[in-house]
Amino acid sequence: MFMIMFILDDILFADDILKSWSEIGITRATIIESRGSHRRLEKVIPMRYAFGTGVSEETGNLTFFVTVETNQMVKACLDAVEKIVGNLDQPNTGIFSAWPLSLVKGIPPLEQKER
């Protein structure tokens, strides 16, 4: 089993990513609103202070966590993401990582989920 973490730079792609993952069999993911330290340290003053509109230009990311059973499913998730956001080697697209899990509790094996 593998853990995937995907940090999405443009949150407008979130629904498309979830739909594409669902099409390959991933029906559950944990999504967290996040912001990297680089953006935090830029010290950009939100526009609400400049114009009093109450709207902030400060933007964040969405971080997706999902477990998958095989390395092939990791690759399928990566392929699905890159079809939507583009090549992750390009700036301002996102960060995709995956690593093997040595212990997982609370997630039933695939054969139990199908019952």
Side-chain angles (χ1 to χ4, degrees):
M1 189 165 280
F2 296 85
M3 173 63 73
I4 292 173
M5 179 184 74
F6 173 57
I7 303 169
L8 175 62
D9 195 63
D10 185 343
I11 63 173
L12 296 177
F13 290 124
D15 290 339
D16 292 335
I17 289 168
L18 290 174
K19 182 179 178 197
S20 70
W21 281 2
S22 177
E23 289 170 357
I24 61 172
I26 296 171
T27 57
R28 297 180 183 182
T30 298
I31 304 168
I32 300 171
E33 293 180 13
S34 57
R35 182 170 35 146
S37 63
H38 175 73
R39 286 186 175 156
R40 177 73 181 171
L41 294 174
E42 284 180 338
K43 307 269 189 219
V44 174
I45 298 173
M47 290 302 292
R48 68 176 170 254
Y49 297 116
F51 299 108
T53 63
V55 176
S56 171
E57 283 191 3
E58 190 172 334
T59 60
N61 309 97
L62 291 178
T63 300
F64 297 73
F65 292 96
V66 64
T67 56
V68 297
E69 303 245 345
T70 66
N71 198 36
Q72 291 79 15
M73 187 60 85
V74 171
K75 178 74 169 111
C77 288
L78 175 59
D79 291 345
V81 164
E82 288 192 313
K83 283 180 184 174
I84 295 166
V85 303
N87 184 339
L88 290 175
D89 291 330
Q90 299 302 312
N92 303 314
T93 51
I95 300 169
F96 186 98
S97 61
W99 57 93
L101 298 171
S102 61
L103 175 67
V104 176
K105 290 194 70 142
I107 302 174
L110 184 59
E111 58 273 4
Q112 288 182 8
K113 290 183 205 177
E114 295 174 350
R115 290 183 194 166

